[in-house]
């Protein structure tokens, strides 16, 4: 009776090319130096693709060592050292004749089945590394928000502030902040500590300004550049409706027919007023992060809006795209409008990212009227139809 030998195979959807990409991504974290990664990719690339998915065959490299050495630009001795290192790392098994020869018919060569056996391990490592990179990126972006905030506050300081001991201390601490391009080298522990310190420093400067009636939370300074009517036409724009996922770049249609009830004037856009008209998502982010013992500040709104981006499946590049036109304040307000539109009774937004991009495009074209949007949103929150 013939026994059919069964070997490990790649999961459905995986190919040897995908394995090469996976190993290349995790290589530095499994002790695989670039030169030996090149050798491993050479070996994998010269195996039959079907051997990675067939339960009856193993992926084996049968190539002659001398020829492989020439093609890799190495000596035979160097290649033997690399193969031994790959075997020690548990990435291949050397199954060769006593004289080192490899024969396809005899199944002698460099066996790559260990890679298949460790695939789940490497996938988990890749996912963890990606998550860490995303987390690091988020922390660096948060530091960038605070850096811009503190620079705005410093720019708002009166000339006499330079003689104030508290300001002198704040500026001295700020001057010691690590450069943005050095944040990755701090490590997560030190970066988190720096972020805590940066938040405290921003709060100290906010408090100093507020005590002297110069708080950047004042409505006149908060969102004025972003709430004026910038439309060239005389027609009033109401709160924009949903943008369907299938029409990402479509124009935002009119959300509601004109109401016979006069539209109330927009409220002063203090952080507390913004909280009252915000959607559930932004409120949740603010409730999770705010200090309940102090009033909301503009930085709280901006940071909560930034943190809400991934929850709405909006890529951070959208925020960067609108930075030159709207700044952090205007972008945070756009995000508030997008989030608030998710519970619109008639036009719930289905594609938050598309709507956010459309708001930015309209702002760049000078056709965005936040005042009307605030008024319409306020009416809806007050139950006015």
């Amino acid at each position: 009776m013939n026994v059919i030998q069964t070997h490990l195979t790649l999961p459905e959807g995986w190919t040897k090319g995908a394995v090469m990409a996976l190993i290349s991504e995790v290589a530095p974290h499994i002790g695989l130096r670039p030169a030996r990664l090149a050798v491993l990719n050479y070996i994998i690339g010269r195996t039959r693709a079907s051997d990675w998915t067939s339960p009856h065959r193993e992926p084996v490299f049968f190539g002659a060592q001398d020829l492989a050495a020439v093609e890799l630009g190495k000596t035979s001795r160097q290649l033997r050292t690399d193969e031994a290192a790959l075997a020690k790392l548990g990435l291949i098994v050397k199954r060769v004749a006593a004289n080192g020869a490899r024969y396809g018919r005899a199944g002698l060569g460099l066996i790559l089945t260990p890679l298949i056996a460790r695939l789940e391990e490497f996938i988990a490592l890749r996912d963890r590394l990606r998550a860490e990179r995303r987390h690091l990126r988020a922390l660096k972006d948060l530091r960038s928000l605070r850096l811009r905030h503190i620079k705005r506050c410093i720019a708002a300081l009166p000339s006499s502030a330079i003689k104030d001991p508290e300001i002198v201390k704040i500026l001295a601490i700020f001057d010691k902040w690590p450069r943005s391009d050095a944040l990755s080298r701090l490590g997560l522990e030190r970066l988190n500590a720096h972020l805590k310190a940066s938040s405290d420093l921003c709060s100290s400067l906010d408090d100093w300004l507020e005590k002297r009636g110069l708080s950047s939370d004042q409505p006149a300074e908060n969102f004025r550049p972003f709430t004026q009517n910038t439309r060239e036409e005389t027609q009033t724009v109401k709160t924009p409706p949903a943008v369907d996922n299938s029409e990402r770049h479509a124009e935002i249609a009119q959300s509601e027919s004109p109401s016979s009830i006069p539209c109330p004037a927009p409220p002063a856009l203090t952080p507390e007023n913004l909280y009252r008209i915000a959607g559930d998502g932004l409120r949740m982010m603010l409730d999770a992060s705010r200090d309940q013992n102090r009033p909301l500040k503009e930085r709280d709104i901006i940071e909560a809006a930034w943190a809400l981006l991934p929850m709405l499946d909006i890529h951070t590049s959208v925020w960067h795209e609108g930075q030159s036109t709207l700044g952090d304040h205007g972008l945070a307000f756009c995000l508030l409008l997008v989030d608030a539109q998710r519970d619109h009774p008639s036009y719930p937004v289905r594609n938050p990212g598309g709507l956010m991009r459309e708001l930015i495009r309209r702002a760049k074209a000078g056709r965005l009227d936040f005042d009307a949007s605030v008024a319409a949103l306020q009416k809806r929150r007050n139950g006015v139809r």
Side-chain angles (χ1 to χ4, degrees):
M1 180 178 177
N2 293 329
V3 178
I4 299 178
Q5 188 174 3
T6 301
H7 298 288
L8 291 174
T9 61
L10 292 176
E12 185 177 355
W14 277 80
T15 63
K16 74 171 186 179
V19 172
M20 293 171 70
L22 173 65
I23 296 301
S24 296
E25 188 170 347
V26 302
H29 304 274
I30 60 175
L32 190 57
R33 301 203 303 266
R36 284 175 182 159
L37 172 62
V39 174
L40 181 60
N41 281 334
Y42 174 91
I43 294 170
I44 295 174
R46 283 154 182 77
T47 60
R48 290 180 300 193
S50 60
D51 291 349
W52 292 81
T53 57
S54 172
H56 310 304
R57 296 187 301 274
E58 290 184 292
V60 183
F61 173 68
F62 302 112
Q65 192 176 71
D66 291 343
L67 176 60
V70 171
E71 292 185 342
L72 285 165
K74 295 175 175 285
T75 65
S76 294
R77 180 177 180 180
Q78 287 174 328
L79 184 55
R80 284 195 298 271
T81 301
D82 289 335
E83 290 176 354
L86 292 175
K88 187 175 181 180
L89 288 171
L91 302 175
I92 64 171
V93 170
K94 293 187 69 172
R95 188 190 300 156
V96 297
N99 61 354
R102 299 123 188 237
Y103 303 103
R105 291 182 179 178
L108 299 179
L110 304 181
I111 316 300
L112 290 150
T113 303
L115 276 182
I116 299 178
R118 299 182 63 185
L119 190 67
E120 289 188 5
E121 172 193 343
F122 294 143
I123 291 173
L125 175 59
R126 178 203 64 187
D127 292 346
R128 179 174 62 80
L129 293 171
R130 288 181 177 179
E132 289 177 355
R133 286 195 293 271
R134 286 194 299 270
H135 181 55
L136 178 60
R137 179 71 262 169
L139 295 180
K140 291 168 67 177
D141 286 337
L142 178 58
R143 210 302 284 264
S144 295
L145 286 177
R146 291 175 181 168
L147 179 64
R148 291 194 294 271
H149 175 79
I150 205 164
K151 284 183 175 180
R152 286 193 297 268
C153 290
I154 290 174
L157 290 172
S159 57
S160 58
I162 195 65
K163 299 178 181 179
D164 188 289
E166 188 175 353
I167 291 299
V168 171
K169 181 179 179 181
I170 288 173
L171 294 179
I173 295 173
F174 176 62
D175 192 52
K176 294 179 181 178
W177 276 19
R179 291 168 50 94
S180 297
D181 56 8
L183 295 178
S184 298
R185 298 191 293 272
L186 292 180
L188 284 178
E189 185 176 351
R190 291 175 61 196
L191 180 54
N192 278 312
H194 170 62
L195 284 173
K196 174 64 171 62
S198 70
S199 179
D200 293 342
L201 194 68
C202 287
S203 295
S204 296
L205 191 49
D206 286 340
D207 292 342
W208 191 95
L209 289 167
E210 188 171 358
K211 289 175 184 177
R212 288 152 182 82
L214 301 170
S215 172
S216 56
D217 286 346
Q218 291 179 2
E221 298 295 330
N222 231 8
F223 293 94
R224 176 186 288 177
F226 317 116
T227 58
Q228 58 188 333
N229 189 339
T230 58
R231 286 180 58 87
E232 297 174 354
E233 303 90 347
T234 58
Q235 180 184 0
T236 298
V237 177
K238 293 185 173 60
T239 309
V243 175
D244 189 84
N245 283 328
S246 63
E247 299 178 357
R248 179 176 177 181
H249 300 291
E251 281 289 317
I252 298 180
Q254 292 293 89
S255 66
E256 301 166 344
S257 59
S259 172
S260 60
I261 302 176
C263 184
L269 292 181
T270 64
E272 294 292 348
N273 281 329
L274 288 174
Y275 178 86
R276 282 191 284 271
I277 65 173
D280 291 339
L282 189 60
R283 286 191 185 194
M284 180 185 69
M285 299 304 298
L286 286 167
D287 290 341
S289 61
R290 69 181 296 189
D291 182 351
Q292 300 295 335
N293 295 321
R294 67 170 178 82
L296 281 174
K297 296 182 180 295
E298 65 172 35
R299 184 166 60 89
D300 298 319
I301 301 291
I302 292 172
E303 292 187 7
W306 172 264
L308 189 59
L309 286 175
M311 295 184 62
L312 300 186
D313 200 25
I314 301 176
H315 197 273
T316 55
S317 62
V318 178
W319 190 286
H320 299 310
E321 176 190 337
Q323 187 63 233
S324 60
T325 302
L326 290 165
D328 292 324
H329 297 81
L331 288 165
F333 189 70
C334 280
L335 212 287
L336 181 147
L337 291 178
V338 171
D339 182 48
Q341 279 294 97
R342 294 195 298 158
D343 64 3
H344 195 286
S346 303
Y347 303 95
V349 66
R350 297 184 181 89
N351 181 3
L355 179 53
M356 186 74 174
R357 287 182 173 88
E358 181 63 21
L359 292 174
I360 293 172
R361 283 194 292 269
R362 290 194 166 210
K364 287 181 177 179
R367 298 187 294 109
L368 189 57
D369 182 3
F370 278 151
D371 281 343
S373 297
V374 172
L377 183 55
Q378 184 67 37
K379 283 172 58 180
R380 180 152 60 90
R381 291 289 183 247
N382 292 336
V384 178
R385 299 184 181 276

